[in-house]
Amino acid sequence: MRIGELAEVTGASARALRHYEDCLLLAPGRDTNGYRVYTEADITRVAQIRTMIAAGLGTGVIRRYLDCARSGEHGIHLEMCPGLRAEVDALAHRIDRKEASLRQTRQRLSALASPS
């Protein structure tokens, strides 16, 4: 299938698919005219990539651990190796710190907005 077809099937834009290729997350074949050619397996791969991005993982982390992604009847999950576990834990810690910072900002804003 061509890039437009893969975009339609997966919900990813053609631009996103090209970006995934630039980041070495997808490796489509090429036909004699040089057009990208995708397989059914690429549909699953794009779903895995999009799920990992939606979870907050960057493309560098995804590239290192994309082979840990599994698709099954219950959706997409990751097999946790020690390196991936460390990356996920670090991301969760950054999110926790950001949430705490946002709560403090919200409290300061509320204090400014409340009458004395």
Side-chain angles (χ1 to χ4, degrees), residues 11 13 19-20 22-23 43-44 49 56 74 92-93 104-105:
S13 68
H19 176 69
Y20 301 160
D22 290 343
C23 293
I43 295 170
T44 300
I49 293 166
H74 298 293
H93 184 68
Q104 291 172 352
T105 300

Side-chain angles (χ1 to χ4, degrees), residues 3-81:
I3 195 166
E5 295 168 292
L6 183 63
E8 186 175 326
V9 169
T10 62
S13 68
R15 182 177 181 203
L17 296 173
R18 286 186 209 95
H19 176 69
Y20 301 160
E21 182 181 355
D22 290 343
C23 293
L24 306 176
L25 301 176
L26 276 179
R30 298 283 179 160
D31 67 12
T32 56
N33 294 328
Y35 291 114
R36 292 170 180 86
V37 178
Y38 297 94
T39 66
E40 293 294 318
D42 291 317
I43 295 170
T44 300
R45 178 58 51 120
V46 170
Q48 292 168 338
I49 293 166
R50 289 175 52 111
T51 299
M52 293 172 81
I53 287 171
L57 299 175
T59 56
V61 172
I62 294 170
R63 184 174 47 254
R64 287 192 301 277
Y65 298 106
L66 188 54
D67 289 337
C68 297
R70 302 290 179 261
S71 298
E73 61 184 60
H74 298 293
I76 295 169
H77 68 279
L78 297 173
E79 286 187 11
M80 288 293 167
C81 61

